[in-house]
Amino acid sequence: MSAGYSGTPLLEKLGVKPDQAALLIGVPDEVGELAQYDRFARRVDAASLSAPETAKACTGGPFDYIHVFEKDASALEAAIDLLRGALVPNGMIWASWPKKASKVPTTLTEDVIRALALAHGLVDVKVCAVDAVWSGLKLVIPVADRR
C-alpha cells in the first residue's frame, strides 16, 4: 500500500528497516502499515506525547527511528528535547500532523514543526504524505552535531 501520489510504499518513504530500534507514539490504527509493522529489532509504543508516558518510553532508547503523530504544538514542543535525547546520532524523528484538508483540528503545520525542530537542534530533510489525514516531516540531528 502506498500513501500520497508517488506510488512508493509508505514504509520505504519513511525509511523503515527491520534492524532499527523504534519508538512509535500515537500511531493511528488507520496507518496500518506502520502500526502493524513487526520487524523492528526493538519497538516501544506509547499512546501519546503526555509527559510521563514520553519520558518512560524514551528510557527504552536509544532509537534509530522515532515517529510521533500529534495534533498539538505545545505537546510536541514539551517533548522534543526528550525525543532528541533518545535518538541515535544518525537516527530520524518523523513528526506527523493532520493535513489541513483533513479538517482535523490541529495547532501543528509543517512550518510550526520546522521552527520547533530548529530551535531544538534538529533540521528537516524530507516531507511526505503518510496517508489521507497525516503528513510527516523527517527531522535529524545536523551532521556537524552528531557525536
Side-chain angles (χ1 to χ4, degrees):
M1 178 186 280
S2 62
Y5 308 102
S6 72
T8 303
L10 176 62
L11 298 178
E12 185 179 330
K13 286 198 299 187
L14 298 175
V16 170
K17 296 189 173 46
D19 61 341
Q20 294 169 322
L23 171 58
L24 304 176
I25 302 172
V27 179
D29 291 337
E30 296 78 19
V31 185
E33 283 180 85
L34 184 59
Q36 297 165 15
Y37 186 74
D38 62 359
R39 296 184 57 216
F40 287 115
R42 185 169 41 87
R43 175 179 174 152
V44 176
D45 290 276
S48 74
L49 270 182
S50 71
E53 189 165 357
T54 302
K56 182 179 178 191
C58 286
T59 63
F63 298 102
D64 304 289
Y65 180 90
I66 297 174
H67 201 141
V68 59
F69 289 78
E70 185 55 60
K71 300 173 192 169
D72 180 42
S74 61
L76 182 59
E77 183 171 24
I80 198 161
D81 286 329
L82 279 173
L83 298 174
R84 187 184 190 282
L87 193 64
V88 298
N90 65 342
M92 67 187 94
I93 298 172
W94 277 96
S96 287
W97 72 97
K99 299 173 186 179
K100 257 185 208 174
S102 73
K103 306 286 192 227
V104 174
T106 183
T107 55
L108 282 171
T109 65
E110 180 178 344
D111 292 335
V112 169
I113 294 170
R114 182 175 292 111
L116 282 173
L118 289 171
H120 293 270
L122 296 164
V123 294
D124 65 290
V125 295
K126 184 176 183 179
V127 64
C128 81
V130 175
D131 70 0
V133 174
W134 298 92
S135 287
L137 192 63
K138 181 180 178 181
L139 309 172
V140 298
I141 297 169
V143 174
D145 296 339
R146 296 178 187 174
R147 300 189 198 329

